[in-house]
Amino acid sequence: MVRRLILVLGDQLSHDLSALRAGDPARDLVVMAEVTEEGIYVRHHPKKIALILSAMRHFADELRAAGWEVAYPRLDDPQAARSITGELLRRAGAHGATEVIATQPGEWRLIAALDAAPLRVTQLPDDRFLSSPEAFNAWAEGRRELRMEYFYREMRRKTGLMMEGDKPAGGKWNYDHDNRKPAPRDLLRAGPLRFAPDTITEEVLDLVAARFAGHFGCLRPFWFAVTAAEARRAFDHFATHLLPGFGDYQDAMLTGDRFVHHSVISMYLNIGLLHPGDICARVVTEWQAGRVPINAAEGYVRQVIGWREYLRGIYFREGPGYVRRNALGHRRALPAVFWGGETRMNCVAQTVGQTREEAYAHHIQRLMVTGNFALLAGVDPAQVHEWYLAVYADAFEWVEAPNVIGMSQVADGGIVASKPYVSSGNYIAKMSDYCGACAYSVTQKTGEGACPFNLLYWDFLHRHRDRFGRNPRMGPVYRTWDRMAADRRETVLRDAAQVLARLDSGAVV
Ligand code: DLZ
Ligand code: SF4
């Protein structure tokens, strides 16, 4: 019987993967491949590459133990091809196979590469989700606006999570209103569970250090989980120690505590070590047992069954061109500060510094510090997108692109975000302890020492008045702007232009 190849990608490390379900261990050959191209098509953070390669090696061992034959070239194998499709062709030649069974990749680039390969490739749906692109399209059909909140309600009904009959548990669908507390500095939080590298991981770390030395980011200390069993322990630790405060403090940012109450498991979820249904069930159990308040449980479940699934629906609905959208016509090059260049803005320095060390920042750091700054400064959204895709361990295009192009940079023309998520320094001052140690003054609105967010905020709104001026949710801010004295408005715009000129000239901002 002619052998078939079963492709398993680095973010498809689930034993119930559709391609594995369709295969037969007695007949088929699993192909996994460490390839240079996947590490460099954007220059991924070394920690992210190490996570994926180590988790792939552990997963290949688990597959072998389960009876599969696995072809697995390592990155330093001189025979190995440089790309996924190159490796499939090489294996097909060696084994006389013409047929490949794959699970559809989470990125149009690879979907197209598999389509174009001179082999018979079947791309099965990736069903490790609670919804599907087809179900999303059916929901979206005929709607004028694709609001996450309504999709989320449908997902609550569909999954039955936190429902009492056809009503949401506790009477409200969304408890976000309770979730905006700044975190007290003196709380001693457990932080995410850390794992010491085993010998497999140590080998990978040496390899990544040698091969991707020039990439932005610290490789060590490396403490991520690399197997499903470890990832489950990491989630368990979160559910026990941190979930109770997750709701209250989910938007808080603290210098001395990078993870606050976040679970830091998105990277495990997105490479297949955890399943969204399992983690939601656990969260609901904690809430039902009275160990976790409803605002924490609902907030967490919403991120997983609402936000995450909604963004995936948007990515596949909008098609391959989505990552090049630029509705606001932003053209500025990504400033050097994103790659660790010097800055006087403490919030940006903290967020980028943490990103460099951890390959992780939480959602408000990503949305309201770096994302906010890039949007206010008018940075080319494609460059912003590539940055996020490269530097975060959990970033895969299906989830990262709608978050960045849609939610953060409103470059999709308002499909994901009904208004731009922009703020002056005031929001950052309220939600963090960054401003106290900053060279700028957050209360200063104009002049040299003024917080750049204060200046760029008004400059952005002024520049894009045609687009946002008629948005009812933006009405109050435009009225505030209009009430300012004309000479003050002029000063703000002049000072903002100076900040932008400094950015363009490479001067420290
Ligand atoms: C991100 C990544 C990296 C760095 N390396 C590999 C690899 O060597 N082999 C592999 O199969 N997958 C890798 N990946 C994950 C892929 O880039 C990912 O499957 C696609 O971007 C689709 O989400
Ligand atoms: Fe950031 Fe402005 Fe606060 Fe400085 S003053 S930390 S630049 S928000």
Side-chain angles (χ1 to χ4, degrees), residues 128-130 161 269 274-282 304-305:
R128 299 171 299 162
F129 292 86
L130 302 170
L161 286 167
L269 194 58
L274 295 173
H275 188 280
D278 294 344
I279 64 174
C280 288
R282 173 69 199 277
V304 180
I305 73 167

Side-chain angles (χ1 to χ4, degrees), residues 424-442:
S424 67
N426 194 29
Y427 175 85
I428 296 171
K430 197 171 82 200
M431 296 313 300
S432 79
D433 61 0
Y434 295 149
C435 298
C438 187
Y440 293 105
S441 162
V442 75

Side-chain angles (χ1 to χ4, degrees), residues 39 46 87 107 133 172 186 194-195 225 245 271 290 384 393 465 471:
E87 192 52 30
E107 188 174 342
K172 281 203 292 185
D186 52 1
R194 293 161 189 260
F195 300 86
I271 63 173
V384 184
R465 186 156 198 156
N471 182 333

Side-chain angles (χ1 to χ4, degrees), residues 9-11 33-35 38-39 41 44 49 52-53 56 84 105-107 109-110 396:
L9 294 168
D11 56 353
E34 295 181 5
V35 291
E38 290 306 306
Y41 74 98
H44 289 295
I49 302 176
I52 291 167
L53 300 191
M56 283 175 70
I84 300 282
E107 188 174 342
R109 172 186 63 90
L110 267 187
F396 296 89

